[in-house]
Amino acid sequence: MDSATSDSLISSPDPQHPANLICTLCRNFYNWGWVTGTGGGTSIRHGPHIFIAPSGVQKELLQPTDMFVMDYATRKYLREPPVLNPSQCTPLFLAAFDRGAGCCIHTHSQWAVLVTLLVERDARESDEDVRSRCFEIEQIEQIKGIPKGKGKQGMLGYFDRLSIPIIENTAQ
């Protein structure tokens, strides 16, 4: 794919376009303390494409032109910014998308690490495989801003349960 064609994958005035949305989300996540500097990663699956923030870039400074775009079916990059590296989280993103996720946010915030450690501890104490465990929360106002999920209309309510799978992170 030539440069002009691959750039068309990330060029849109629509703020909801994945290349724009990832930049907005990462800026917000940085401001909220959910990611620090170059830590973590974000990816969105949109139709046949996966939009991936690069590795080693300050998340609050991302631009749509920094995005990698991968074909989900072939796992081949359709767009690769020349001076950036693909996210080291890409295998994690693919595992999440293979489970039906539409977006994957990888964070190293102290709160995310704490929740993960608690879920892992509970799994060990119950003699369960941690890969089958999720962080689940209900009866909290903050989940009312989260969509119900793929193919479902509306937002979660106070009495709904939000389940977030815990996918093991490895150094490589």
Side-chain angles (χ1 to χ4, degrees):
M1 183 174 284
D2 65 40
S3 177
T5 304
S6 68
D7 282 353
S8 70
L9 293 169
I10 51 99
S11 299
S12 173
D14 180 2
Q16 297 299 307
H17 183 280
N20 297 327
L21 188 56
I22 287 173
C23 296
T24 300
L25 290 171
C26 285
R27 200 168 18 262
N28 288 339
F29 297 159
Y30 175 81
N31 290 332
W32 296 333
W34 294 3
V35 296
T36 55
T38 63
T42 303
S43 181
I44 295 175
R45 181 172 177 198
H46 184 71
H49 301 131
I50 299 173
F51 294 79
I52 306 167
S55 185
V57 174
Q58 296 289 126
K59 300 306 183 250
E60 73 278 16
L61 302 177
L62 283 173
Q63 298 296 316
T65 53
D66 297 331
M67 294 302 123
F68 285 78
V69 181
M70 178 185 281
D71 180 83
Y72 178 68
T74 65
R75 306 295 212 254
K76 295 196 186 302
Y77 286 103
L78 303 174
R79 183 178 193 285
E80 298 181 72
V83 296
L84 298 174
N85 294 312
S87 175
Q88 293 179 336
C89 301
T90 300
L92 176 71
F93 297 152
L94 294 172
F97 295 135
D98 288 345
R99 292 171 116 176
C103 176
C104 187
I105 302 163
H106 179 113
T107 178
H108 294 278
S109 76
Q110 62 185 350
W111 306 113
V113 171
L114 177 61
V115 165
T116 300
L117 292 171
L118 291 172
V119 169
E120 289 175 345
R121 183 204 61 198
D122 290 350
R124 279 193 307 276
E125 288 177 359
S126 302
D127 211 22
E128 293 179 46
D129 185 350
V130 73
R131 292 175 294 186
S132 67
R133 297 298 297 260
C134 291
F135 167 68
E136 296 183 322
I137 191 166
E138 59 190 326
Q139 297 184 8
I140 187 164
E141 288 292 315
Q142 287 82 347
I143 68 172
K144 290 171 34 178
I146 298 175
K148 285 189 175 182
K150 194 173 187 175
K152 299 177 183 173
Q153 295 293 319
M155 307 301 258
L156 291 174
Y158 179 83
F159 294 104
D160 291 325
R161 177 176 291 174
L162 172 64
S163 294
I164 301 172
I166 304 295
I167 301 172
E168 184 178 1
N169 185 28
T170 60
Q172 296 296 324

